[in-house]
Amino acid sequence: MLGKADILLEASTPRAVEQTTAELLGAELYRVINGHYDGPEFANWFKHLAAAAGRDGRAQTARLLRGMTMLGPPHLAPHAEAALRGSRSHLPDWLRDPMKVTAAGDLWQIRDAYGSRIAIIATYRYPGEELPAAFLFDLETGTTPVALVEPGLFDDVEQAVEAWRSAVGDTAKQAQPVPVRSSDRLQPLVQLDMDETFIRGDETQAAMNNWFRVARRVHDLGVATTERGAALLPPALDLYRDFDIEPMATGFTDWYRDRHGTEPDTEAVAALATDWMEGVVPQVWHSISPTRVEAQLAMFADDWVPEDPLTGLAKALFPQWVRWHGEQSELPEHLVNHAVTTATHDHRVRT
C-alpha cells in the first residue's frame, strides 16, 4: 500500500490529496472484499496503515497521512494525525496546517421514479478553494440496511446530479433535485451504517473509495448545521421497533376488499406488513423498486418456512401487495406492472 503512495506527489491541492487518498484506500478495500474477506478489519487496518506511514517518513506517505486526516471518521482520523506529527516537515507549505473540510450549507435530495434510490448532495468547502465542491451520498434504501452505491466528490451540484442520473439509469432521467429544508429528507442518510459487519461483498469501487469518507462527511455535516443553529440531521430510528403495521395492513385490506370483493387472510397480511416494513426507512414503505421486490422474494426463500400454510398465503398475496403500494405511490402504470410481474415470477437463481 505504501509503495503506491508516489501518485500523491502529483496532487497540487488539498482536495486532490484527499481524493487520491480515498482512491488508494478504496482500491485496497475493494481488493479485500473481492478476495478472502472474512470479517471486520477495516478500522484496525486504517490504524495500522497510519502507523506504518508515520514510520516510513517520506513526502508521499506524509501526504497519505494528510489525506487520511481529512477523510478519516472521527474515531480514526486522530490516529493519522498522531502519525503525521513526526512527518509534517515532509509536507509542502500548503499542506502543513490542519486541513479542515467544512459543510457549506447547500443540501439537495433527488430520488428515482420508484423513490427508493435516493441521493443526498451536500456542498463542502476545501482549504484554498473559492467555490465549494459537492459530495454525493448515493443510497439504496430498498435494502436492509440502507446501502451505499455510487458516492463521490464532484466539482459542483450539477456534476453530481448528472453522475447520479447516469449511474441509476432510466428511472432517474427525469428526476430533479429539490432543496432539503426539513430533517425528514435526511433520515435515509442517518440510517446509513458504515459498520463493517454490514459488508455484503458486492459493493462498488466507488462505495469502497468512500467507505471512510462518507462517515466523516456526515459528521462534518452534523457539526456545521448544529453550529449554525439548525441541527438538520435527525436522530437515527430503530427501524426494527419504531413502526406500526396497523395502518398499512388496514389500507391494503380495504383496497383488496374493494378490488376483489373478498377479505385477504388477516394473519398473512400482518406477516407481510411486518416483513415489508421492518428495517426499512419509513419514507420508502410504498416503494416497489426491483431491489425492494427482490429483497422480499429473498426473504420468502430464506426466512419463511416453506411448509407453513402462512407462507403460501403471503406469497399468493404478494403481487397484489406490490400493486397496492405502486398505486399508493402514484407510480406510472408501466412501472407498477413491471414490479407486479417481478413479484409474480421469481426468476432469481436458486442454488
Side-chain angles (χ1 to χ4, degrees):
M1 174 71 196
L2 297 183
K4 300 175 183 177
D6 289 359
I7 193 173
L8 282 160
L9 296 175
E10 301 173 13
S12 58
T13 66
R15 176 153 74 104
V17 168
E18 186 204 61
Q19 180 62 31
T20 304
T21 301
E23 292 169 3
L24 286 171
L25 270 59
E28 181 64 16
L29 296 182
Y30 189 73
R31 184 191 67 79
V32 169
I33 68 168
N34 284 281
H36 301 288
Y37 178 68
D38 59 0
E41 292 292 341
F42 291 178
N44 285 336
W45 175 75
F46 187 102
K47 296 174 186 177
H48 291 317
L49 178 62
R55 292 191 298 270
D56 186 81
R58 293 179 296 151
Q60 49 267 61
T61 48
R63 290 189 180 207
L64 176 67
L65 285 167
R66 174 55 77 209
M68 292 171 72
T69 68
M70 296 174 69
L71 62 76
H75 66 292
L76 293 177
H79 293 273
E81 189 63 53
L84 182 59
R85 289 182 191 130
S87 303
R88 191 171 275 110
S89 61
H90 294 292
L91 293 174
D93 290 343
W94 52 270
L95 268 182
R96 287 189 181 178
D97 293 333
M99 297 289 110
K100 186 176 182 181
V101 181
T102 58
D106 290 334
L107 280 168
W108 303 82
Q109 186 196 75
I110 185 168
R111 303 172 68 162
D112 74 341
Y114 285 110
S116 65
R117 184 73 173 266
I118 299 175
I120 303 295
I121 302 172
T123 56
Y124 293 85
R125 295 195 179 280
Y126 278 78
E129 298 191 15
E130 182 178 352
L131 298 176
F135 194 86
L136 169 67
F137 301 93
D138 181 18
L139 312 173
E140 175 53 69
T141 62
T143 60
T144 304
V146 173
L148 190 64
V149 191
E150 292 283 347
L153 181 66
F154 298 90
D155 290 338
D156 52 40
V157 172
E158 291 75 18
Q159 190 182 72
V161 168
E162 287 308 310
W164 180 80
R165 287 191 183 123
S166 177
V168 177
D170 290 344
T171 60
K173 285 182 177 179
Q174 304 303 315
Q176 296 296 325
V178 296
V180 173
R181 305 295 189 201
S182 60
S183 61
D184 64 306
R185 287 190 178 274
L186 297 178
Q187 194 68 56
L189 182 59
V190 299
Q191 299 300 147
L192 179 66
D193 194 334
M194 302 308 293
D195 191 312
E196 301 142 45
T197 57
F198 294 122
I199 286 287
R200 303 183 309 276
D202 61 354
E203 284 77 10
T204 65
Q205 179 68 71
M208 302 321 297
N209 287 355
N210 291 283
W211 188 261
F212 296 114
R213 182 161 58 171
V214 160
R216 176 62 172 271
R217 293 293 91 91
V218 172
H219 170 78
D220 294 338
L221 181 60
V223 169
T225 57
T226 299
E227 287 177 348
R228 296 187 187 108
L232 274 181
L233 289 183
L237 300 174
D238 184 343
L239 299 179
Y240 293 88
R241 294 178 182 271
D242 296 340
F243 67 93
D244 178 9
I245 69 167
E246 189 60 33
M248 185 177 290
T250 300
F252 173 73
T253 298
D254 292 344
W255 174 89
Y256 190 93
R257 184 191 309 111
D258 292 342
R259 180 67 62 93
H260 299 285
T262 59
E263 294 277 338
D265 184 85
T266 301
E267 190 176 356
V269 171
L272 194 51
T274 300
D275 235 23
W276 188 258
M277 298 171 74
E278 191 173 45
V280 176
V281 180
Q283 287 92 328
V284 297
W285 278 343
H286 285 311
S287 172
I288 55 169
S289 68
T291 300
R292 186 90 165 89
V293 173
E294 289 165 6
Q296 183 60 50
L297 291 172
M299 284 191 282
F300 281 141
D302 299 337
D303 301 335
W304 293 58
V305 180
E307 299 79 14
D308 189 336
L310 186 64
T311 301
L313 290 169
K315 291 175 72 173
L317 280 176
F318 188 51
Q320 292 303 302
W321 177 263
V322 168
R323 183 172 297 282
W324 175 71
H325 280 290
E327 292 184 7
Q328 302 310 298
S329 57
E330 300 181 347
L331 267 184
E333 186 176 357
H334 72 282
L335 293 180
V336 175
N337 290 337
H338 176 71
V340 171
T341 299
T342 301
T344 305
H345 306 289
D346 183 0
H347 296 300
R348 292 173 305 110
V349 177
R350 292 177 174 81
T351 58

